[in-house]
Amino acid sequence: MKFGKEFAAQMVQEWKEAYMNYNHLKTILKDVLRFRKLRGAPSPEAATSHGSLKRRASLYRAFSGLAGRYRGSPRKSEDEVILVSAVQESGGDEHYQTLFLNASDDGGDYELVFFRSLDSEFNKVINFYKKKVEEVMGEADDLSKQMDALIALRIRVDNPVVGGSNIANLPFHGFSSVSESAVHPPINSRNPGWSSMEVIREVEMSAEANSEDSNKGTNNENYKKDMETFRPASLEVLDFVKINVEPETPVSTKKKVILNSNTGLSYSKEGLRKAEELMNQAFVEFYRKLRLLKSYCFLNQLAFSKIMKKYDKITMRNASKSYLNMVDNSYLGSSDEVTRLMERVEVAFVKHFSNGNHRKGMNTLRPKPKKERHRITFSMGLFTGCSAALLIALVVIIHARGILNSEGAPQYMDNIFPLYSLFGFVVLHMLMYAANIYFWKRYRINYAFIFGFKQGTELGYREVLLLASGLSVLALGCVISNLDMEMDPRTKSFKAITELIPLALLTLLLVIIFCPFNIIYRSSRFFLIQCAFHCVFAPLYKVTLPDFLLADQLTSQVQALRNLEFYICYYGWGDFTARTNKCSGNRVFESFYFVVAMIPYWFRFLQCLRRLFEEKDSGQAYNGLKYFLIIIAVAARTAYELRMGMALKIFAAATSGAATIMATYWDIVVDWGLLQRDSRNPWLRDKLVIPTKSVYFVAMVLNVVLRLAWMQTVLGFRQTPFLHSKALTAIVACLEIIRRGIWNFFRLENEHLNNVGKYRAFKSVPLPFYYENKRI
């Protein structure tokens, strides 16, 4: 793989614009090379002696030391090509500037442009790095104060007799005492026989051990100075601390609204356990930020090394050594704050949250990347092939036996088809989600971060395709077995068993979803259940992006929800052994037919109200108005579908038209961020992930066309001579699911670009302790 592609693949995508623009500098060097070829300069391929094996080893040479980075004899003073200097700006920051000494040579103008661009990129990188290092140092101070409060809370909860309200502890630069983790291990890992005398002995032994480790294992003077300093960690900090560890529930939401204040400090073991969980998450996320920041520093240093060696190769000059010496001596190459902070986080986390188990602590801080398993690909291919074979067999059976022209065809379409079409809707939605994941990964959209998946638990497109194809095999197998049992004289009398096959399949699906055992992607299933629960109690939970995205998916699965209602009616009040139902004309069924269609939009309406209350964003008011208008339109369409009548048709058409126009505008302009007249890409937006602009225009047209299919009920296309009304309804529902799949891709693309614009690459973890309405 070429370095440019490897460099882009390893970037933190939300920081993409803060990295060195390697491709831009490479383009300038191509101009230099083109000019030199026109002037008849020697080819760099002929002049260089670098072999392919040595080029492959360049990644190692770049950071293995100055001796291994460069080749050849030392340069003389007359060989100097550039002079690099640091200029102090008015704000105290350093601005690096390169003086090209051979600007009068042929092609010197091109090289001068290269060095100006190189300086601009380097200053951009180093300023961003300094800013991020300052941020993490501030966060380290916050975590240190949080740990002080946590240690004091541990002491208070256990209430050891150590003489007064103070206990000697050893401070740890940027964090609380390492020794205290031995004195006060996490509450879940303490031994029952732990006593106050052990506290005193552990303090003395841990202090002595840590002093020895610091003298042997580090040469940093600041570290030694901190490790030699003792200070008492007073329990009085608890008098000024409030704690916010109560999980967000409907009850806690009501308390916050009524009381409008944080809870006081709880000295219970349950409160301590929740505080430790929050601090554990905060440390893990903070360590991840440090790792990515260190990777950012490494990759940019490597990129500058690569581009300068490419410059030397093209121009046959020796400029790289001077420039890379400057890079090494700059803040980017010489600062070690991030590395030292990572070491301190590791030691503090292992001792405070892993009970001294280094392997366990590091596995938590550095979760192993998810591996692609061959058995997943094999199983996916197997089930996909089986699904295709079963689908072909089903078509052959229907045509060979003339089922569509038989007397029982209308009865089958009215009673059995809605039962099985539910699984078709679910499979289609899963296929669209798998396609979304594939293209999100292809265009480097960080969907796992946007959804908030725990690292290593997110499903890839292969896993989703495996689940979709597996469900497809079960559903198609049940359809064929149902038809075969009905046509076979030996099993034709078993009508009850035949009709119960769809119910058995639905029951199996629900059992798998709610299965508590760690099988079939339990973390993903529970994440889905949690989001669904938040949707049901929408106004009582803080609305996150996965919550309202799931509610958006449900708005495209209205027909599936109605089919679930039909399951209850068919098996509860109908005579399924005779394949008849009493749903049509039933007042209760018709009432729920209204309600079920409006439930997803009602969830979104309540979520908009909650976000308006919390975020004070007027855009949520307009979004809520959109969903309220859709609720009215859905109610009018449902009433017209059940009752008919010209007045209902006019009202349904008017409300549906208004809702369609507003929803389409919101999809394209707000959710996708397109149709910006003054953008760099006319009528699109400034930043695009897909290089082919026509894709966006095609997506906008498809969104409008598929939105119009939503109005098929009031447009008079409820029946056709070659399609049953149930089949037409299913086709329209499938079109809406396809539209939702297209919407999902561009919605997350826009969210990703917003994160990129704000350099937002980490999720915020709430800290448990507050001091005077501020986090300590």
Side-chain angles (χ1 to χ4, degrees):
M1 181 185 292
K2 292 184 178 180
F3 175 74
K5 293 183 178 179
E6 186 178 356
F7 182 55
Q10 294 184 16
M11 288 180 180
V12 180
Q13 293 303 314
E14 288 77 9
W15 292 352
K16 185 177 181 179
E17 294 183 355
Y19 282 82
M20 188 255 268
N21 195 338
Y22 182 83
N23 290 331
H24 174 63
L25 296 174
K26 188 177 177 181
T27 302
I28 298 176
L29 288 182
K30 287 181 179 178
D31 294 336
V32 175
L33 178 60
R34 193 178 300 112
F35 179 84
R36 291 178 64 84
K37 285 184 176 179
L38 291 175
R39 290 292 184 177
S43 171
E45 286 79 6
T48 185
S49 61
H50 290 245
S52 60
L53 180 60
K54 294 172 184 176
R55 283 197 299 272
R56 286 193 206 113
S58 60
L59 178 65
Y60 172 78
R61 292 201 312 270
F63 289 93
S64 61
L66 292 175
R69 183 187 290 157
Y70 305 106
R71 297 156 52 87
S73 59
R75 281 180 247 120
K76 300 177 182 178
S77 60
E78 59 267 19
D79 294 331
E80 291 290 343
V81 179
I82 58 173
L83 292 176
V84 186
S85 59
V87 181
Q88 286 292 127
E89 295 181 345
S90 58
D93 296 333
E94 286 186 335
H95 177 81
Y96 290 89
Q97 187 173 347
T98 302
L99 177 62
F100 180 53
L101 302 179
N102 294 358
S104 59
D105 293 353
D106 286 342
D109 293 341
Y110 291 99
E111 297 179 52
L112 190 60
V113 171
F114 168 76
F115 281 109
R116 286 178 180 173
S117 300
L118 186 67
D119 289 340
S120 175
E121 293 298 321
F122 182 73
N123 288 313
K124 176 187 72 175
V125 168
I126 199 169
N127 289 333
F128 179 82
Y129 184 68
K130 281 183 179 179
K131 179 182 176 182
K132 289 299 177 183
V133 170
E134 291 174 0
E135 289 181 5
V136 296
M137 295 303 290
E139 292 179 19
D141 291 338
D142 291 339
L143 283 178
S144 174
K145 296 174 183 178
Q146 292 282 321
M147 285 304 301
D148 286 341
L150 181 63
I151 295 299
L153 181 60
R154 284 177 176 175
I155 298 171
R156 179 62 62 87
V157 169
D158 291 299
N159 195 23
V161 181
V162 292
S165 61
N166 296 333
I167 179 170
N169 69 83
L170 190 63
F172 192 68
H173 182 76
F175 299 98
S176 290
S177 168
V178 181
S179 65
E180 289 157 356
S181 57
V183 179
H184 305 284
I187 192 169
N188 294 330
S189 60
R190 297 178 190 169
N191 296 324
W194 186 73
S195 66
S196 59
M197 291 304 297
E198 291 172 350
V199 172
I200 300 174
R201 288 196 297 269
E202 287 287 351
V203 169
E204 296 173 351
M205 293 173 63
S206 297
E208 182 180 354
N210 282 315
S211 297
E212 292 177 359
D213 291 341
S214 66
N215 291 328
K216 293 179 181 179
T218 181
N219 294 323
N220 188 279
E221 295 299 329
N222 293 330
Y223 182 84
K224 291 180 180 179
K225 182 179 179 180
D226 288 338
M227 295 300 287
E228 293 170 357
T229 304
F230 278 87
R231 66 175 173 84
S234 175
L235 299 184
E236 293 178 358
V237 67
L238 299 179
D239 298 333
F240 306 97
V241 167
K242 289 186 177 181
I243 189 170
N244 185 25
V245 297
E246 186 176 2
E248 189 172 18
T249 62
V251 176
S252 65
T253 302
K254 292 178 182 178
K255 287 182 179 179
K256 288 181 180 179
V257 173
I258 296 174
L259 301 177
N260 193 25
S261 63
N262 294 319
T263 58
L265 188 61
S266 172
Y267 297 128
S268 65
K269 290 188 176 181
E270 181 65 19
L272 175 59
R273 184 187 63 80
K274 293 176 181 177
E276 287 176 343
E277 289 178 358
L278 286 178
M279 287 300 297
N280 189 309
Q281 296 174 15
F283 266 87
V284 171
E285 190 65 21
F286 181 66
Y287 188 78
R288 176 174 173 268
K289 183 180 295 187
L290 294 176
R291 290 181 65 193
L292 293 182
L293 194 55
K294 185 176 181 179
S295 172
Y296 172 85
C297 177
F298 172 81
L299 285 176
N300 279 289
Q301 290 184 73
L302 182 58
F304 282 111
S305 174
K306 286 285 186 179
I307 201 67
M308 285 307 300
K309 286 194 290 185
K310 188 175 288 290
Y311 170 82
D312 285 354
K313 180 180 178 181
I314 290 174
T315 62
M316 289 178 290
R317 303 185 190 276
N318 293 315
S320 59
K321 185 175 182 179
S322 299
Y323 200 90
L324 293 178
N325 280 339
M326 180 273 295
V327 173
D328 290 339
N329 295 326
S330 68
Y331 186 81
L332 185 69
S334 61
S335 66
D336 61 346
E337 286 91 342
V338 174
T339 302
R340 289 191 289 111
L341 203 54
M342 288 180 66
E343 295 172 354
R344 290 166 182 150
V345 170
E346 291 171 3
V347 175
F349 186 85
V350 168
K351 287 189 172 291
H352 282 286
F353 298 101
S354 300
N355 200 23
N357 189 328
H358 185 269
R359 177 178 294 181
K360 178 182 176 182
M362 295 309 298
N363 286 339
T364 304
L365 288 175
R366 297 189 179 190
K368 296 180 180 179
K370 189 176 181 181
K371 295 181 180 179
E372 298 290 344
R373 300 182 182 275
H374 294 294
R375 65 186 181 193
I376 299 294
T377 305
F378 172 78
S379 301
M380 178 197 68
L382 176 64
F383 286 140
T384 302
C386 292
S387 299
L390 289 172
L391 185 61
I392 294 172
L394 179 61
V395 173
V396 171
I397 290 174
I398 290 175
H399 283 279
R401 297 181 178 179
I403 294 177
L404 293 177
N405 298 322
S406 63
E407 295 181 359
Q411 191 178 19
Y412 183 89
M413 294 298 296
D414 288 334
N415 295 279
I416 302 300
F417 181 79
L419 303 179
Y420 284 116
S421 61
L422 168 66
F423 304 102
F425 299 147
V426 175
V427 170
L428 179 60
H429 213 135
M430 294 174 71
L431 291 176
M432 295 302 298
Y433 180 58
N436 285 330
I437 293 177
Y438 173 79
F439 286 107
W440 286 333
K441 283 190 172 183
R442 179 176 178 180
Y443 293 106
R444 298 190 179 93
I445 296 175
N446 195 354
Y447 74 96
F449 168 70
I450 294 174
F451 283 122
F453 294 139
K454 186 178 179 181
Q455 189 175 358
T457 62
E458 69 277 6
L459 296 183
Y461 71 93
R462 290 185 179 87
E463 288 87 349
V464 178
L465 282 176
L466 173 62
L467 295 174
S469 58
L471 179 58
S472 175
V473 168
L474 288 175
L476 290 172
C478 289
V479 172
I480 292 177
S481 63
N482 196 320
L483 291 175
D484 191 64
M485 290 177 67
E486 188 175 341
M487 300 297 295
D488 194 334
R490 294 172 297 178
T491 58
K492 193 172 183 179
S493 59
F494 304 155
K495 289 187 176 180
I497 299 177
T498 304
E499 300 300 313
L500 285 174
I501 291 178
L503 181 61
L505 180 58
L506 178 62
T507 303
L508 176 63
L509 181 61
L510 293 177
V511 168
I512 292 175
I513 292 175
F514 292 97
C515 178
F517 303 110
N518 191 15
I519 57 174
I520 314 180
Y521 310 114
R522 182 179 64 175
S523 61
S524 298
R525 290 188 286 108
F526 282 14
F527 184 84
L528 177 65
I529 294 171
Q530 181 185 21
C531 292
F533 188 78
H534 289 176
C535 288
V536 173
F537 298 96
L540 301 178
Y541 283 94
K542 181 179 176 62
V543 181
T544 60
L545 187 140
D547 296 338
F548 69 74
L549 274 182
L550 178 60
D552 282 325
Q553 309 311 304
L554 293 177
T555 60
S556 297
Q557 288 284 8
V558 169
Q559 191 56 43
L561 296 177
R562 283 176 167 172
N563 287 0
L564 279 176
E565 179 194 4
F566 183 77
Y567 263 93
I568 298 174
C569 179
Y570 183 68
Y571 289 104
W573 290 280
D575 187 4
F576 63 88
T577 57
R579 191 170 287 177
T580 59
N581 68 82
K582 302 177 182 178
C583 302
S584 300
N586 187 296
R587 286 178 173 265
V588 176
F589 179 81
E590 291 183 353
S591 298
F592 277 98
Y593 200 74
F594 269 94
V595 173
V596 166
M598 293 184 289
I599 282 177
Y601 300 103
W602 181 250
F603 289 161
R604 285 296 289 120
F605 176 70
L606 294 179
Q607 287 176 341
C608 292
L609 293 183
R610 173 65 187 258
R611 294 185 68 185
L612 176 63
F613 175 77
E614 281 190 342
E615 303 171 11
K616 311 300 181 186
D617 181 9
S618 59
Q620 296 302 322
Y622 294 109
N623 199 17
L625 178 62
K626 178 193 74 174
Y627 285 107
F628 187 73
L629 184 59
I630 293 177
I631 289 173
I632 297 175
V634 169
R637 289 174 60 246
T638 306
Y640 171 70
E641 185 179 354
L642 294 175
R643 302 298 182 189
M644 296 296 181
M646 183 56 65
L648 279 176
K649 183 175 183 178
I650 294 174
F651 182 68
T655 54
S656 297
T660 300
I661 293 172
M662 188 171 183
T664 303
Y665 172 83
W666 198 274
D667 286 346
I668 297 174
V669 177
V670 180
D671 291 338
W672 294 359
L674 301 176
L675 290 182
Q676 296 181 12
R677 184 185 303 177
D678 300 328
S679 66
R680 291 198 299 260
N681 304 295
W683 298 106
L684 297 177
R685 63 170 108 85
D686 290 338
K687 300 175 184 177
L688 301 175
V689 170
I690 303 176
T692 307
K693 299 178 183 179
S694 59
V695 172
Y696 294 91
F697 292 103
V698 171
M700 287 189 283
V701 172
L702 282 176
N703 188 77
V704 173
V705 172
L706 295 177
R707 276 283 186 185
L708 292 177
W710 191 69
M711 296 182 62
Q712 57 86 23
T713 302
V714 295
L715 293 177
F717 299 122
R718 298 180 68 246
Q719 291 184 350
T720 58
F722 56 87
L723 274 180
H724 193 275
S725 60
K726 299 291 185 183
L728 180 61
T729 300
I731 291 174
V732 172
C734 290
L735 292 177
E736 170 59 20
I737 293 172
I738 294 173
R739 186 200 68 81
R740 180 59 63 183
I742 298 172
W743 180 90
N744 286 340
F745 175 84
F746 294 101
R747 176 65 181 87
L748 253 71
E749 179 206 18
N750 192 35
E751 185 70 21
H752 171 75
L753 292 176
N754 290 334
N755 291 340
V756 170
K758 299 175 181 177
Y759 301 108
R760 187 168 51 205
F762 310 99
K763 62 182 180 180
S764 59
V765 178
L767 298 177
F769 301 104
Y770 290 79
Y771 179 71
E772 293 183 352
N773 296 326
K774 296 180 181 179
R775 287 193 182 94
I776 60 173

